[in-house]
Amino acid sequence: MVRAGERFLEDPETETGTQALVMRNRSILLVVFCGSEGFDVKAAMRDWFTDASIWPVEVDGMQLHRGFHRALESIWASLELAIASWQGERALWLTGHSLGGALANLSAERLTRGGARVAGVTTFAAPKVGDCTFVTAFESQLGERSQQWSTRKDPVTRMPRLNDRFDYPKLGPTHIVDIDGRTELDTVLSMSGAPNPLAHRISSYSNYLYRALPEQVRARVPPPPPQCAPSDRHVGQHPETRYPLCLDRWRKISRSRCVETGGEVVDDWCVVDEPRMLRYQARKLKVKKNRPWNRSNNP
């Protein structure tokens, strides 16, 4: 449900499935572009077609990714109207993940070129969107107000690339966050090992960045969504770190055996920290049952 101070934008023809949420408070106007769908088959197919339409289209002297440009065009009039009517003295920020990150970068450059006051754009797992002319224009206008976040093994941030003609340049230095929460700011993105599509998930980014937060800050922000393996079941959260407890299929374990093997007793669970996975593997504790008295012992 969209509340006061929010405006939900969507392609009225539903041809591209483009969606964005515009939110405001007293000092900030925030535009969040939705990324690719993962659960609705029809929406996922629309997003896949948008991502795959890499043949360039010329716009204002720049060669842009055709699919991303088309997706932005479908809501551009509504987006401009929302920003014009709500910005006032508010600082305008744009953000998005994956496809949403590509749209945020395109919008930021276009709005700035049109005279709008853009405070900054922060994207996560954003693919490349335009040629050298676009990148030069973007960085000259927004270079110091742009943050492009990526993981080392995310293949999407290096796309699209089919051949030399379709190898769009990457926007500026990138901020990298690793699975253990380590960050590298303003660095050149290079692949470390084989690409991993799971590193592109928004849940991966939120978990990695959550781990990178200072402990005192982490205690004041909402925890990231659970990130259990597909074969596991999410059964709770650790009371201190708030990482998910993921139930596996192992047999039950006693409290003493849990501690002996390096586990920690949390409520009714024996949990083992998996620091690089940002979760705990949970085993159900054995519960001693009260057996009835043997009749021979009864008076």
Side-chain angles (χ1 to χ4, degrees), residues 59-60 62 64 76 92 94 104-121 132-148 171-172:
V59 179
D60 298 326
M62 300 177 289
L64 303 180
W76 183 253
L92 173 60
L94 301 99
N105 284 332
L106 283 176
S107 298
E109 190 281 329
R110 187 169 176 178
L111 287 166
T112 303
R113 183 158 38 91
R117 294 176 288 107
V118 177
V121 53
C132 291
T133 304
F134 169 81
V135 171
T136 300
F138 182 95
E139 293 182 349
S140 64
Q141 299 166 358
L142 295 156
E144 296 182 354
R145 291 173 285 158
S146 167
Q147 295 190 56
Q148 312 289 324
L171 283 176

Side-chain angles (χ1 to χ4, degrees), residues 37-46:
E37 296 281 354
F39 300 101
D40 183 275
V41 175
K42 185 178 180 180
M45 289 297 294
R46 282 198 304 257

Side-chain angles (χ1 to χ4, degrees), residues 26 31 33 36 45 62 84 86 127 178 187 198 215 234 241 259:
R26 292 182 178 179
V31 181
F33 291 92
S36 301
M45 289 297 294
M62 300 177 289
W86 275 8
D178 285 327
T187 186
L198 295 180
E215 192 171 332
H234 175 234
T241 65
V259 176

